[in-house]
Amino acid sequence: MNTLSIRSPAKINLFLKVVGKRADGYHELETLMCRVDLFDIVTLSFDQPSISVQCTHPEVPEDKRNLAYKAAALFFEALAKDHGVSIFIEKVVPVGAGLGGGSGNAAAVLMGLNQHYGFPFSNKEIMDMGLKVGADVPFFLFQHTAVARGVGEHLEPVYGVPPWSAVLVFPKCQISTAWVYEHLSLGLTNCEENYMFFRFFEDLSKRKILLCNDLEQVTVKKFPEINIIKTALLDLGAEAALMSGSGPTVFALFQDRQQAFPAFQKIRQQQGWDTFLVNLLLP
Ligand code: ATP
């Protein structure tokens, strides 16, 4: 059978500032995103009569609500062909965790289909399709550490991120991104006004100040455990710890894997949390 398996990474937000709200209700962000080497595997079986999705995670929908399904439907609509694809998702990235798992899956489907059909669409066209599925999909299509602005459509590559290791802690509670934005007080930002991303990599003391996420204050109200995880990771020697995206996953940065490993071993003993030791995927 004609199949293709694609690794679909998770992302973390090293910086996330909400800069405004558009008239249509969407929030405009400025966010520094980096992929990490925690992967779902998305396998596409081509030339099927219709679109179908199967996922190993029991809570992920296998119908039109699946972001991978939506991506395939948009692709075939643009191709103006009544074709189909079977999509099998082996879920490793925690779901509803602020790690962009579903968006990554959608990007994998768009890239895989475009390749299979001989690149009928330009990168820009594929990015536009991705944006219709979700704000983080263009970032995964971009395949580079980037600052995303607007509602995710303006991407600027970022160079010079050190090859940090990270410990991810998912407290096994899901949060809806929509709920977080509904409860956000605009203007209450913790992030610097004129943020200069190059300063991010200058030295450690500045980095601790510059790591920030405006959504953290909202999610923490629902899950105070986030602060407990952050404190635990900092006590274990992390250079910095922050919630990713709309949460509730917390990541902690370490200079390298050797420094991260003891903290990972310690924190993974904690009941009720899923813990991962990852490297940033650079550039
Ligand atoms: P983000 O950081 O982009 O807000 P997230 O990591 O918080 O995303 P996802 O894991 O992408 O969240 O899932 C969010 C919701 O989308 C879940 O409720 C899930 O059921 C649904 N969903 C739809 N398709 C997928 C998919 N392919 N993988 C994971 N979740 C999916």
Side-chain angles (χ1 to χ4, degrees):
M1 204 196 298
N2 198 356
T3 63
L4 176 68
S5 289
I6 303 170
R7 293 194 306 178
S8 168
K11 59 84 184 162
I12 53 175
N13 301 76
L14 296 170
F15 174 88
L16 192 161
K17 178 174 172 173
V18 181
V19 293
K21 193 174 176 183
R22 299 194 322 193
D24 60 9
Y26 283 99
H27 286 83
E28 297 203 303
L29 305 182
E30 186 171 27
T31 180
L32 172 56
M33 287 195 272
C34 191
R35 295 161 300 152
V36 297
D37 65 352
L38 180 70
F39 301 101
D40 292 340
I41 305 292
V42 176
T43 300
L44 306 178
S45 303
F46 299 109
D47 307 322
Q48 304 293 316
S50 60
I51 303 169
S52 62
V53 179
Q54 271 184 293
C55 182
T56 52
H57 193 294
E59 285 158 38
V60 172
E62 294 183 321
D63 54 20
K64 291 180 178 181
R65 290 168 298 165
N66 195 295
L67 301 184
Y69 187 109
K70 283 186 190 170
L74 281 169
F75 182 90
F76 289 124
E77 190 188 304
L79 197 65
K81 284 203 173 130
D82 201 12
H83 286 199
V85 63
S86 297
I87 303 164
F88 181 76
I89 304 167
E90 200 180 325
K91 242 322 139 196
V92 174
V93 177
V95 172
L99 298 172
S103 303
N105 296 167
V109 167
L110 289 172
M111 287 190 280
L113 286 173
N114 208 31
Q115 181 182 316
H116 176 72
Y117 284 91
F119 299 98
F121 301 114
S122 66
N123 282 347
K124 163 92 175 68
E125 287 168 322
I126 288 290
M127 290 263 192
D128 289 346
M129 275 180 225
L131 192 63
K132 286 187 190 159
V133 180
D136 288 342
V137 182
F139 164 73
F140 284 106
L141 291 165
F142 198 57
Q143 299 187 83
H144 200 290
T145 305
V147 176
R149 295 191 174 86
V151 290
E153 74 279 32
H154 299 300
L155 291 160
E156 188 188 314
V158 169
Y159 298 87
V161 180
W164 290 316
S165 287
V167 174
L168 310 183
V169 180
F170 172 56
K172 291 196 195 170
C173 43
Q174 290 183 20
I175 191 142
S176 132
T177 305
W179 184 91
V180 175
Y181 281 107
E182 271 164 36
H183 291 80
L184 175 76
S185 305
L186 271 181
L188 280 185
T189 185
N190 295 320
C191 302
E192 278 200 354
E193 201 42 55
N194 293 308
Y195 195 80
M196 304 217 228
F197 284 98
F198 65 86
R199 284 182 51 203
F200 200 88
F201 314 115
E202 269 177 13
D203 73 55
L204 211 55
S205 55
K206 286 192 186 124
R207 197 182 306 146
K208 278 183 186 169
I209 301 165
L210 294 176
L211 273 166
C212 78
N213 181 347
D214 278 343
L215 304 180
E216 198 178 85
Q217 53 183 323
V218 185
T219 309
V220 155
K221 280 192 201 131
K222 192 162 184 178
F223 300 122
E225 211 172 347
I226 287 166
N227 277 336
I228 296 170
I229 297 171
K230 283 178 75 174
T231 306
L233 287 162
L234 291 168
D235 287 349
L236 287 167
E239 308 287 1
L242 190 73
M243 188 184 86
S244 179
S246 51
T249 301
V250 173
F251 64 88
L253 297 176
F254 294 83
Q255 300 274 13
D256 53 37
R257 214 168 169 91
Q258 217 177 337
Q259 307 223 6
F261 191 65
F264 166 67
Q265 276 198 312
K266 192 94 187 153
I267 207 118
R268 76 194 297 202
Q269 290 164 11
Q270 181 75 32
Q271 301 262 314
W273 297 346
D274 272 347
T275 309
F276 306 89
L277 176 57
V278 300
N279 292 315
L280 304 194
L281 274 180
L282 301 173

